Amino acid sequence: MPSWVETLRGVILFIVWTVLVLRISALWRAPQRPVWVVLLVLATGSLMIQAPVGRWFDSTTGVAKAGELAVALVALTDFAAVWWFAVALHRAGHATPLWLRRAPAVSAATMAALALAFFVVTPAADRFGAQAHGWWAGYAVAWITFGLVTAVGAGALFWRHGITMRSPVLRLSMLALAVGTTAELPYLVIRAVRWFTEAPPTLALVGFWCSFTRFVLVALGCSLAALEPLRKAALYWYRRQRLYGLWMLLREATPELVVMTPRSRTADVLTFSNAWEQLHQRVIDIRDSITFLHDGWASPRLLEEASSKAAEAGHRERERLLAAACWIEATRRDALAGATKLHHELDKDLLPEVHASESTVHREIRHLLRLHRALRTRAVHAFADTVQHRPPAAATS
């Protein structure tokens, strides 16, 4: 192998151990613990493939090829652990037969026993050779069979869930795991060809690149899922910032509803904790302010005038949005001016849509942002400047 292969093995070591350390919090969360177990086994494997470690094993034990046996035992544990992880993911949403739940552990134990047995009965010169001779041919057949079973077993489950995941990050994570485990297949084929035929040296490099791809993609696949909470938090923070303008506009007009003094824009931008709760509260505050304006200062005449003004838009959805913006701006001005509340019993037709769940709030936010844009239009401001919907003040003598 060229010298740069050892350099790339060092790269594998760095990537996998970095991911392992970054994901150490998964140890304290039962649903995420399998991910960390896989990363730990993968990290151990990345350490074992380093040439100095193999030499240390040989010199410490005094047994020829003991380092390569250690690599093989860790590798088979790695293969089985990834399959076990795939089965664990599958079990979360599907009935899984007992034999499949036990298959990774049983296959790993069987392969470990065979590896040790063949290592003992095979002469030192034939162990882990470029080609399989004598007893070692049995090891080669067992290893290729074991590798194919684990790779196909894990890959099939990762591909199945990867193409159906709704979350982009989780889908990317599953597909990275799927591609990584699938990369084992050409590696195993190349390993079989090299064991039983006179293969060209370049084939060994192709096999190394398949192994490299597998190491990196499985490590990244196990870590990308950890980014999902961060992605969601960033998305919720971004949506909350986009609603800040509308929120402040309405909060200023409805100070009766303000429990705590609204944060400044700078303080709001720098608030990152409880991202979903903060966004949800902002949407609720906006809804409450709009309802408060509607119940306190709107009148049947105002709503009728707003609907007539909006009818000029000509599009049903745009018409409803513009009508809501017209009456909201008019009542907002009344509230800021300290006008007497009217307390009319009114239809709720022109109140904005309400979506209470996390899955539908994005649609509501889009609607609120369109409403904010409408509130700033010239047409809405002209309507609020000219509309007369309050009864004339009683004449005084």
Side-chain angles (χ1 to χ4, degrees):
M1 285 283 192
S3 58
W4 54 261
V5 169
E6 288 304 320
T7 303
L8 286 179
R9 283 176 177 161
V11 171
I12 292 172
L13 182 72
F14 174 77
I15 291 173
V16 177
W17 278 90
T18 299
V19 171
L20 179 71
V21 172
L22 290 176
R23 291 233 56 192
I24 197 167
S25 61
L27 263 179
W28 291 275
R29 299 171 186 168
Q32 295 183 18
R33 203 166 293 141
V35 178
W36 201 82
V37 171
V38 170
L39 286 172
L40 179 62
V41 176
L42 200 66
T44 305
S46 71
L47 182 63
M48 296 301 299
I49 62 175
Q50 307 303 314
V53 177
R55 289 194 294 269
W56 178 84
F57 261 91
D58 291 347
S59 62
T60 302
T61 61
V63 178
K65 307 292 181 68
E68 293 194 57
L69 175 63
V71 170
L73 293 175
V74 173
L76 69 88
T77 306
D78 175 7
F79 287 3
V82 172
W83 187 15
W84 165 74
F85 177 45
V87 173
L89 287 174
H90 183 70
R91 283 181 64 191
H94 301 82
T96 308
L98 183 62
W99 69 265
L100 182 56
R101 298 201 298 269
R102 292 179 175 175
V106 171
S107 61
T110 303
M111 186 61 227
L114 289 171
L116 290 169
F118 282 116
F119 187 84
V120 170
V121 300
T122 303
D126 291 339
R127 297 169 184 165
F128 298 101
Q131 290 188 303
H133 299 294
W135 285 105
W136 203 247
Y139 170 86
V141 171
W143 178 260
I144 296 301
T145 304
F146 167 77
L148 289 172
V149 169
T150 55
V152 171
L157 293 175
F158 286 138
W159 280 113
R160 175 177 176 178
H161 294 288
I163 60 178
T164 57
M165 283 283 182
R166 292 184 179 181
S167 163
V169 175
L170 290 179
R171 187 186 309 120
L172 184 60
S173 178
M174 287 296 105
L175 290 177
L177 288 165
V179 174
T181 50
T182 302
E184 289 177 34
L185 299 177
Y187 165 77
L188 291 166
V189 170
I190 290 169
R191 181 68 267 190
V193 170
R194 291 177 58 222
W195 260 328
F196 295 107
T197 67
E198 291 287 346
T202 53
L203 205 56
L205 288 178
V206 176
F208 169 78
W209 281 114
C210 291
S211 178
F212 180 87
T213 301
R214 193 260 180 193
F215 261 108
V216 173
L217 288 183
V218 170
L220 292 178
C222 289
S223 60
L224 284 173
L227 298 178
E228 179 66 358
L230 297 177
R231 183 192 73 85
K232 281 190 172 182
L235 181 63
Y236 297 149
W237 176 89
Y238 171 70
R239 288 174 178 171
R240 192 180 86 239
Q241 296 313 311
R242 294 195 69 193
L243 288 174
Y244 185 87
L246 177 61
W247 177 68
M248 281 300 294
L249 191 71
L250 297 172
R251 291 275 95 176
E252 287 170 355
T254 56
E256 299 95 326
L257 302 181
V258 178
V259 178
M260 294 184 296
T261 305
R263 291 188 296 261
S264 68
R265 188 60 192 263
T266 302
D268 195 66
V269 167
L270 295 176
T271 300
F272 302 103
S273 60
N274 303 318
W276 162 246
E277 289 80 1
Q278 296 266 1
L279 172 63
H280 190 52
Q281 186 59 52
R282 180 145 301 174
V283 172
I284 290 173
D285 288 347
I286 291 170
R287 285 186 205 146
D288 289 348
S289 291
I290 291 174
T291 303
F292 190 71
L293 293 173
H294 181 272
D295 294 346
W297 288 274
S299 66
R301 181 178 175 185
L302 174 63
L303 298 183
E304 185 181 335
E305 292 283 342
S307 296
S308 299
K309 174 70 177 177
E312 299 170 9
H315 188 281
R316 180 173 172 75
E317 280 303 311
R318 174 68 182 163
E319 182 180 324
R320 189 175 175 354
L321 183 73
L322 189 58
C326 285
W327 74 255
I328 288 172
E329 179 60 18
T331 55
R332 189 186 72 84
R333 293 186 183 189
D334 283 351
L336 285 171
T340 307
K341 292 182 181 179
L342 302 177
H343 294 301
H344 285 290
E345 289 292 329
L346 300 169
D347 247 340
K348 307 290 185 182
D349 288 347
L350 289 182
L351 285 172
E353 302 172 30
V354 173
H355 302 286
S357 73
E358 188 174 351
S359 61
T360 56
V361 75
H362 180 50
R363 190 161 71 241
E364 182 171 2
I365 289 171
R366 283 205 312 265
H367 180 75
L368 291 176
L369 291 172
R370 287 198 296 269
L371 176 64
H372 191 205
R373 285 195 293 271
L375 281 166
R376 291 178 291 179
T377 59
R378 228 177 255 178
V380 168
H381 281 258
F383 172 84
D385 289 339
T386 57
V387 68
Q388 298 292 330
H389 72 101
R390 304 178 68 82
T396 56
S397 54

